[in-house]
Amino acid sequence: MDKLSIKLPGLDLKNPVMPASGCFGFGREYSQFYDLSLLGSIMVKATTLEQRLGNPVPRVAETSSGMLNAIGLQNPGLEKVISTELPWLAQYDLPVIANVAGSMTEDYVAVAEKISRVENVKALELNISCPNVKEGGIAFGTDPEIAKDLTARVKEVSSVPVYVKMSPNVANISEMALAVEEGGADGLTMINTLVGMRLDHKTGKPVIANKTGGLSGPAIKPVALRMVYEVSQVSNLPIIAMGGISSAWDVIDFISAGASAAAVGTANFVNPFVCKEIIEELPGILDELGADHIHDLKGRAWKVGEIANHRA
């Protein structure tokens, strides 16, 4: 039995490890380092209806144990992604998760309907949680009713399962998860970045042009872990977890908290081989823990002595 293969709605994965959207582009640069077919999946850069140039620079800054960014969903637009980026990715044995973003409901619906029909796109990630854009983004991800309605509208037109990317910048993450589940979501991805800020010591001014940005990296892992732990106990939806994952043991932690798979974000900038190394290290860790399959560890944090029977 393969220790790492898993099945999720729309996704038949060789392993549960994938790069998170926004930290891996469309994979072109990283394909110079290793065969992308090794990955379980790839969450590609957010795609909007029209091309976006993103926020003014500077828009990235290091912080203690993390990174602050305010890219602003820069991407080449739907038509370019469909005509150029997704066909290029088709050379790899790699199910694609397309990240869908927009300013209005109609934008999300238009992008979802068209991109979900591309052959190698096996699932959508509905981006309702980007903190770095003035319109759309996080506005959809902080109101349960709005999030539910948007999920339902996208589900109506999508040809593939829809995963909703959850914002941590809410008072009650479980309430948001249950709302999008009611709206018809097939899965959750969580979490997106936390809103943060960094000042220049000498001038006292923000170091990025947007003033605030999204904090990612190891600093947010405890927050992400807690939210996955909470949501996995109240929602029936599978969770692809992210937030400070940089090692195979981090993946084990999130599976133990109740996630079904894991996405690696900021760590790709530090070590471009990190996803490959995690995939290679996981079987040995499972042997060390006496697990026949990675999902034998699922929910250990809240199901001590009771292994989940399903391998969703």
Side-chain angles (χ1 to χ4, degrees):
M1 180 178 65
D2 191 323
K3 292 174 177 285
L4 299 182
S5 63
I6 61 171
K7 291 184 182 295
L8 299 176
L11 301 167
D12 192 357
L13 307 179
K14 298 183 287 290
N15 61 72
V17 180
M18 63 196 78
S21 177
C23 301
F24 210 77
F26 294 93
R28 288 181 183 272
E29 293 79 8
Y30 290 89
S31 69
Q32 301 173 47
F33 298 111
Y34 60 87
D35 181 0
L36 299 185
S37 296
L38 293 171
L39 298 167
S41 179
I42 177 173
M43 295 168 143
V44 296
K45 188 84 176 73
T47 298
T48 54
L49 193 57
E50 306 293 341
Q51 178 188 23
R52 288 198 187 185
L53 299 178
N55 292 324
V57 295
R59 52 191 186 184
V60 175
E62 289 188 50
T63 69
S64 301
S65 301
M67 183 183 80
L68 204 62
N69 91 84
I71 302 300
L73 299 179
Q74 178 184 7
N75 77 95
L78 177 63
E79 293 304 325
K80 186 70 177 292
V81 170
I82 288 179
S83 65
T84 304
E85 303 297 346
L86 295 175
W88 179 84
L89 275 170
Q91 67 184 294
Y92 297 102
D93 178 20
L94 187 63
V96 173
I97 301 175
N99 185 295
V100 173
S103 300
M104 303 180 294
T105 298
E106 290 73 18
D107 296 340
Y108 282 97
V109 170
V111 174
E113 182 171 22
K114 200 162 184 178
I115 205 168
S116 69
R117 285 167 171 70
V118 178
E119 187 173 355
N120 57 335
V121 171
K122 303 303 182 186
L124 301 185
E125 181 180 45
L126 190 58
N127 189 347
I128 61 170
S129 50
C130 178
N132 300 320
V133 289
K134 293 179 180 178
E135 297 178 331
I138 200 168
F140 288 99
T142 54
D143 184 303
E145 285 303 313
I146 293 175
K148 182 179 75 173
D149 291 345
L150 179 64
T151 302
R153 289 287 303 277
V154 168
K155 276 288 293 181
E156 287 176 0
V157 301
S158 178
S159 300
V160 296
V162 176
Y163 292 68
V164 180
K165 189 164 191 174
M166 309 300 294
S167 170
N169 301 299
V170 295
N172 189 332
I173 188 75
S174 293
E175 179 185 28
M176 292 299 301
L178 292 174
V180 299
E181 182 172 0
E182 190 177 341
D186 298 284
L188 304 172
T189 66
M190 55 186 297
I191 56 172
N192 208 321
T193 55
L194 290 137
V195 177
M197 190 177 199
R198 189 187 142 194
L199 303 181
D200 183 287
H201 297 311
K202 295 182 179 178
T203 66
K205 296 180 179 178
V207 298
I208 57 177
N210 200 54
K211 297 182 180 177
T212 63
L215 179 66
S216 61
I220 74 167
K221 181 188 168 187
V223 177
L225 205 57
R226 186 266 295 175
M227 289 187 165
V228 169
Y229 172 80
E230 288 183 0
V231 169
S232 65
Q233 295 179 76
V234 299
S235 171
N236 292 314
L237 298 179
I239 298 170
I240 301 175
M242 60 205 70
I245 295 175
S246 61
S247 72
W249 282 107
D250 287 336
V251 174
I252 296 296
D253 283 349
F254 277 96
I255 297 293
S256 297
S260 294
V264 182
T266 305
N268 287 291
F269 299 131
V270 179
N271 174 14
F273 295 98
V274 65
C275 287
K276 177 177 181 291
E277 292 174 356
I278 289 173
I279 293 166
E280 292 171 345
E281 291 172 10
L282 278 173
I285 291 177
L286 296 186
D287 289 342
E288 183 179 336
L289 296 175
D292 293 327
H293 190 277
I294 193 165
H295 275 190
D296 289 345
L297 306 176
K298 185 177 174 182
R300 286 191 304 169
W302 53 279
K303 287 185 174 180
V304 177
E306 180 186 344
I307 302 299
N309 292 320
H310 61 286
R311 286 181 172 169

